[in-house]
Amino acid sequence: MKIIEVKNYEEMSKRAADYVVEKVRSFPGITLGLATGGTPLGLYRHLIEDHRNNLTSYQNVTTFNLDEYAGCDETDPHSYRYFMNESLFNHIDINKANTFIPRGDGEDMEREAQEYEQLIASHGGIDLQILGIGSNGHIGFNEPGTSFQSQTHIVELTDSTREANARFFDRIEDVPLKAITMGIATIMRSKEILLLVSGPNKREAFSRLMHEEVNEQFPVSVLKNHPAVTVMIDQAAGCLDYTPGSGDLEYVPHD
Ligand code: GLP
């Protein structure tokens, strides 16, 4: 796990965008795994800016998003499909037919989950997965206790996750109770992972990631078992309790 510490959210977003752009330019047919939430918004803003200024093309790129709320169709402003269209897809030259997000409004969610898993496999898997982290350590919507063997599946959201995401809704009662998410095993099959961690409310989660053993009660800890993870973290999320040289972590302090 390589940890790159940067000064602030803006610098993290720019560095993450440089990283993604470099991958897209060297492999125009790349399959990206994308995340929602507040954290990757700056990354997406920089990708759009780069697309406009430097003409990086996404015409041959395929994307798979991590998750979607149950019961939200793509016209619902709370859906992650809507979020991705507004935050990225509408502003770059990607073919929307190559952007995949699990459907939260399907009649048979279990079948949707299985088909999504097969779809990812049929595209040869994900080359680079962007991840954020929930304050309870969730990745995608894989809440504490989720099996590390899990494939794309339906989940019940915890109260803490619904509270954290209530800021995107008028009232907490409006936050869906369920979601469909890539499983931990799905995420771990990505060839490479870029984890973005920003802000003081992620400080405790990052500290736990540094200090806890890999365990299913803290889903993000599984990333320690992945061979190619880069973490970009800002100072507010705190790297201060990191001990250089511990384990197989490579620490790159900000300049
Ligand atoms: C949601 C998403 C996650 C995301 C997390 C953190 O629960 N399903 O993929 O990482 O929120 O969101 P934020 O970046 O807004 O803190």
Side-chain angles (χ1 to χ4, degrees):
M1 191 179 268
K2 178 174 178 177
I3 301 168
I4 300 177
E5 185 193 279
V6 297
K7 276 200 192 71
N8 52 35
Y9 178 73
E10 178 56 21
E11 199 182 309
M12 182 193 75
S13 302
K14 177 73 172 72
R15 270 188 98 136
D18 290 348
Y19 194 90
V20 173
V21 165
E22 203 270 316
K23 298 277 175 192
V24 171
R25 284 186 168 262
S26 54
F27 180 20
I30 195 168
T31 298
L32 295 174
L34 299 178
T36 52
T39 307
L41 278 175
L43 157 65
Y44 297 153
R45 181 168 38 80
H46 279 290
L47 292 182
I48 294 165
E49 202 177 297
D50 164 79
H51 169 69
R52 288 190 181 138
N53 295 339
N54 305 318
L55 306 180
T56 303
S57 176
Y58 295 80
Q59 270 172 0
N60 297 313
V61 171
T62 300
T63 65
F64 284 94
N65 263 76
L66 284 166
D67 46 19
E68 179 61 282
Y69 286 119
C72 288
D73 71 21
E74 63 180 52
T75 62
D76 185 333
H78 299 114
S79 73
Y80 284 163
R81 163 57 75 181
Y82 190 95
F83 175 101
M84 289 308 303
N85 285 347
E86 291 289 313
S87 311
L88 182 64
F89 300 150
N90 287 347
H91 310 286
I92 56 176
D93 65 343
I94 199 160
N95 179 353
K96 285 244 186 81
N98 295 333
T99 66
F100 299 100
I101 301 180
R103 280 189 58 182
D105 62 332
E107 288 197 350
D108 187 343
M109 297 267 290
E110 297 291 344
R111 205 181 68 198
E112 170 69 22
Q114 281 175 20
E115 287 177 357
Y116 197 68
E117 195 67 47
Q118 286 158 10
L119 201 59
I120 296 172
S122 72
H123 280 77
I126 290 165
D127 295 306
L128 171 63
Q129 174 69 55
I130 311 294
L131 280 186
I133 175 177
S135 50
N136 63 2
H138 74 238
I139 50 176
F141 268 133
N142 294 287
E143 300 282 20
T146 305
S147 165
F148 284 170
Q149 308 307 319
S150 53
Q151 314 294 322
T152 301
H153 62 298
I154 316 303
V155 289
E156 299 216 359
L157 300 177
T158 61
D159 290 344
S160 74
T161 295
R162 293 182 68 239
E163 275 159 29
N165 289 344
R167 66 191 195 279
F168 296 111
F169 294 78
D170 291 337
R171 306 172 311 158
I172 186 159
E173 294 79 13
D174 297 338
V175 183
L177 296 166
K178 290 186 176 183
I180 178 169
T181 182
M182 281 185 201
I184 305 259
T186 323
I187 293 170
M188 287 294 280
R189 277 193 291 273
S190 308
K191 296 179 189 77
E192 194 183 343
I193 291 174
L194 176 59
L195 173 67
L196 303 179
V197 188
S198 169
N201 59 346
K202 301 296 168 65
R203 207 177 169 85
E204 190 188 333
F206 182 71
S207 175
R208 286 183 67 187
L209 175 62
M210 289 298 92
H211 295 106
E212 272 182 36
E213 296 293 308
V214 175
N215 74 93
E216 290 185 346
Q217 291 309 319
F218 191 57
V220 70
S221 66
V222 75
L223 299 185
K224 291 182 183 178
N225 289 341
H226 192 286
V229 176
T230 301
V231 183
M232 292 191 185
I233 178 163
D234 65 14
Q235 281 187 314
C239 242
L240 300 177
D241 57 359
Y242 167 75
T243 316
S246 63
D248 56 358
L249 303 174
E250 183 189 346
Y251 176 58
V252 184
H254 71 83
D255 0 86

